[in-house]
């Protein structure tokens, strides 16, 4: 197959997320008969960030769809650190709540990391508590960071071999890049992490069998940077405004040109975004089953 005629197959995160939601709904229906209550997720939002509000309504709709009770709380911008810490302490003790999530970004006067540390590790729906990240480093069972877990699940669904493959992760955030690299190591890929200070990024990405872009830079990865037949996963979600004033979502990868080179590619939107929400629901249900089996 020549480079000119090749068109990548789409890794459809939206379709897989719908499948996972259906499976979770069946699990919840069955478990609820024994347990007597549904799983519960509490999403805490502070202030009036429109993007955050949209994400939260999306999460709450997904919860309703599978039968997870929402215990969302929306706080005014001026809410203090202590007030939020007290709310988290209450939710940690609340048996109806199995997952707790603080929606980022927070107003500048609040310390997000300190709040995250207050969440009970077994209710850490985002999989970002140091205890859960530590479990990941050690290869132990625990709640996994939603976005990278969604990437791995999507690659598994399409039976993409990872064992021994060269994987390059562009981005080193604690949200995606670092846990992504660890999860790829867990499935026996050989992993390189690149970032904004990396010299000659193109040479590194051209060696990748699996290329995961999570830098938050629109169009960072072009077709010239991608190996023919690579699997390309776009974790970037960037809102850009064109010359006519219309805004749209784009990833970190130049989709139209890269699709001519890659074997598989994820779209933005419709790729990893829905998988992140599916893994959030999965984490909440896992916590629920774990808590009620003890």
């Amino acid at each position: 197959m020549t480079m000119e005629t090749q068109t990548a197959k789409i890794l459809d995160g939206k379709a897989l997320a719908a499948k996972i939601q259906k499976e979770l709904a069946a699990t919840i229906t069955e478990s609820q008969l024994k347990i007597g209550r549904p799983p519960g997720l509490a999403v805490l939002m502070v202030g009036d960030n429109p993007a955050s509000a949209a994400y939260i309504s999306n999460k709450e709709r997904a919860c309703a769809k599978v039968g997870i009770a929402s215990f969302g709380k929306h706080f005014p911008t001026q809410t203090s650190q202590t007030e939020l810490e007290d709310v988290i302490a209450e939710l940690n003790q609340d048996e109806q709540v199995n997952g707790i999530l603080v929606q980022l970004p927070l107003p500048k006067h609040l310390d997000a990391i300190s709040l995250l540390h207050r969440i009970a590790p077994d209710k850490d729906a985002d999989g970002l508590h140091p205890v859960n990240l530590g479990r990941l480093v050690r290869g132990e069972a625990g709640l996994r960071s939603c976005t990278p877990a969604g990437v791995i699940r999507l690659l598994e669904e399409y039976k993409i071999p990872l064992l021994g493959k060269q994987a390059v992760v562009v981005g080193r955030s604690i949200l995606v890049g670092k846990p992504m690299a660890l999860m790829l190591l867990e499935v026996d890929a050989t992993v390189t992490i690149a970032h904004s200070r990396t010299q000659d990024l193109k040479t590194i990405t051209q060696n990748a069998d699996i290329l995961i872009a999570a830098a938050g830079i629109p169009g960072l990865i072009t077709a010239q940077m991608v190996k023919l037949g690579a699997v390309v996963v776009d974790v970037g979600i960037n809102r850009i405004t064109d010359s006519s004033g219309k805004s749209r979502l784009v990833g970190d990868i130049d989709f139209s040109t890269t699709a001519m080179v890659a074997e598989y590619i994820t779209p933005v939107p419709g790729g990893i975004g829905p998988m992140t929400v599916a893994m959030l629901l999965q984490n909440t249900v896992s916590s629920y089953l774990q808590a009620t089996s003890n």
Side-chain angles (χ1 to χ4, degrees), residues 86-136:
D86 290 346
V87 168
I88 290 169
E90 281 171 33
L91 292 170
N92 282 340
Q93 298 303 316
D94 188 341
E95 286 184 3
Q96 306 289 311
V97 175
N98 302 102
I100 304 168
L101 164 67
V102 177
Q103 183 67 44
L104 303 176
L106 290 171
K108 294 216 172 358
H109 68 282
L110 295 169
D111 179 352
I113 293 168
S114 168
L115 290 173
L116 180 67
H117 287 193
R118 299 274 176 155
I119 296 171
D122 292 338
K123 292 191 178 188
D124 166 35
D126 247 348
L128 295 173
H129 191 284
V131 167
N132 287 321
L133 289 169
R135 286 170 178 159
L136 172 59

Side-chain angles (χ1 to χ4, degrees), residues 62 67 97 109 112 118 134 161-162 167 170 193 214 236 253 287 291:
V97 175
H109 68 282
R118 299 274 176 155
L162 298 170
V170 184
I193 303 178
I253 291 163
S287 294

Side-chain angles (χ1 to χ4, degrees), residues 102-210:
V102 177
Q103 183 67 44
L104 303 176
L106 290 171
K108 294 216 172 358
H109 68 282
L110 295 169
D111 179 352
I113 293 168
S114 168
L115 290 173
L116 180 67
H117 287 193
R118 299 274 176 155
I119 296 171
D122 292 338
K123 292 191 178 188
D124 166 35
D126 247 348
L128 295 173
H129 191 284
V131 167
N132 287 321
L133 289 169
R135 286 170 178 159
L136 172 59
V137 170
R138 293 178 60 86
E140 296 171 1
L143 297 172
R144 297 289 192 246
S145 180
C146 298
T147 299
V151 172
I152 296 288
R153 180 72 181 79
L154 188 58
L155 295 174
E156 284 172 351
E157 181 72 10
Y158 283 84
K159 298 185 169 48
I160 290 165
L162 298 170
L163 188 143
K165 297 291 182 182
Q166 294 288 339
V168 173
V169 180
V170 184
R172 54 178 167 180
S173 72
I174 201 72
L175 281 170
V176 182
K178 287 175 184 169
M180 185 79 256
L182 289 163
M183 288 182 207
L184 286 162
L185 282 172
E186 219 172 19
V187 292
D188 297 316
T190 300
V191 184
T192 302
I193 303 178
H195 46 78
S196 59
R197 300 286 188 274
T198 297
Q199 293 180 7
D200 197 4
L201 180 63
K202 182 178 173 182
T203 300
I204 291 169
T205 58
Q206 281 175 336
N207 284 320
D209 301 310
I210 318 280

Side-chain angles (χ1 to χ4, degrees), residues 200-260:
D200 197 4
L201 180 63
K202 182 178 173 182
T203 300
I204 291 169
T205 58
Q206 281 175 336
N207 284 320
D209 301 310
I210 318 280
L211 177 59
I212 297 169
I217 301 168
L220 172 69
I221 305 295
T222 60
Q224 293 75 28
M225 299 169 74
V226 176
K227 177 183 184 177
L228 184 64
V231 176
V232 181
V233 177
D234 197 342
V235 180
I237 300 181
N238 312 291
R239 189 170 289 281
I240 62 164
T241 307
D242 62 23
S243 52
S244 65
K246 282 187 180 160
S247 77
R248 60 192 173 96
L249 289 179
V250 299
D252 289 359
I253 291 163
D254 184 340
F255 183 90
S256 57
T257 60
T258 304
M260 303 301 285

